[in-house]
Amino acid sequence: EVQLVESGGGLVQPGGSLRLSCAASGFAVSSNYMSWVRQAPGKGLEWVSVIYNGGSTYYADSVKGRFTISRDNSKNTLYLHMNALRADDTAVYYCARDGGAYNRALDPWGQGTLVTVSS
Amino acid sequence: QTVVTQEPSFSVSPGGTVTLTCGLSSGSVSSSYYPSWYQQTPGQAPRTLIYTTNTRSSGVPDRFSGSILGNKAALTITGAQADDESDYYCVLYMGSGISVFGGGTKVTVL
């Protein structure tokens, strides 16, 4: 079964750091495009970042320079390293497989992990 | 910065048809933006409905269809059912690795 399970969310102070994990099963993270999407409380979905199978990475302007997407092929796990966190980074963070160059479908999605940035 | 636009809300009667759109603040949406559509109910992860403009994801009922209408991507629900009451989001691939979601449309079935 193709599945994604996020972990690592929690409460962090402004300016702090956090690392989110997304464990994949049923397919290889290394062979796919993988994305992070977030949703602030009561708000819509916001695309955050993608890593291509070749290793190229891209970020939304709102997180560029603060967040880093990476993967560990041996653990079949995607990561999102978040630094200099701000209150407006508070959100549920979802990972999703991206369909790739000619099919940008985000599917499947994980269940999400909540990040709260507050003092 | 280009904004992806969606209607904030729509109401549809059971059995009725509704068409949601996904546009750009500047320019026209075409298939080269690889528009896709997602359904989300409160507290749940999004569910993929449509990708590459008009391809239904596995298990999605055929009352959901995607298209390009004029200068926008569109999601049409034909024969709406009560459990179609959800938030619907489109996302467009802008190129250079960047994707952008629309603000979402809240669909009420009543």
Side-chain angles (χ1 to χ4, degrees):
Chain A
E1 181 189 5
V2 173
Q3 190 175 11
L4 296 168
V5 178
E6 300 97 336
S7 60
L11 176 64
V12 60
Q13 292 189 336
S17 299
L18 206 59
R19 187 188 76 168
L20 305 183
S21 300
C22 169
S25 56
F27 70 98
V29 164
S30 61
S31 300
N32 286 270
Y33 292 16
M34 297 294 298
S35 288
W36 287 97
V37 175
R38 68 183 180 182
Q39 187 170 36
K43 303 297 184 183
L45 299 173
E46 180 186 13
W47 180 86
V48 172
S49 182
V50 65
I51 182 167
Y52 286 1
N53 52 352
S56 298
T57 59
Y58 303 92
Y59 302 90
D61 286 345
S62 57
V63 306
K64 195 178 298 182
R66 300 186 300 121
F67 290 12
T68 301
I69 190 171
S70 67
R71 66 188 182 215
D72 184 329
N73 297 341
S74 67
K75 295 183 178 179
N76 207 27
T77 298
L78 176 74
Y79 300 103
L80 187 66
H81 308 259
M82 303 184 295
N83 297 321
L85 282 161
R86 311 185 303 223
D88 62 359
D89 294 317
T90 295
V92 174
Y93 285 74
Y94 297 99
C95 63
R97 182 177 61 181
D98 184 314
Y102 302 103
N103 165 3
R104 301 311 299 248
L106 297 169
D107 186 74
W109 295 65
Q111 85 289 351
T113 187
L114 176 63
V115 173
T116 303
V117 184
S118 174
S119 55
Chain B
Q1 182 174 345
T2 301
V3 174
V4 177
T5 61
Q6 294 187 249
E7 300 86 358
S9 63
F10 254 120
S11 183
V12 60
S13 301
T17 296
V18 62
T19 296
L20 316 181
T21 67
C22 177
L24 291 169
S25 57
S26 176
S28 299
V29 177
S30 66
S31 58
S32 62
Y33 284 85
Y34 300 99
S36 53
W37 292 89
Y38 303 86
Q39 178 190 49
Q40 188 183 36
T41 52
Q44 299 298 312
R47 170 198 182 197
T48 310
L49 294 177
I50 300 286
Y51 59 95
T52 56
T53 305
N54 56 12
T55 304
R56 264 187 302 275
S57 189
S58 177
V60 173
D62 60 7
R63 65 177 184 274
F64 293 94
S65 61
S67 63
I68 299 291
L69 284 181
N71 62 350
K72 297 181 180 181
L75 173 71
T76 300
I77 309 173
T78 304
Q81 300 182 2
D83 61 1
D84 297 335
E85 189 161 291
S86 301
D87 295 324
Y88 292 84
Y89 295 92
C90 69
V91 62
L92 301 178
Y93 177 62
M94 298 301 188
S96 302
I98 305 299
S99 294
V100 179
F101 278 91
T105 297
K106 183 177 184 63
V107 172
T108 303
V109 180
L110 51 72

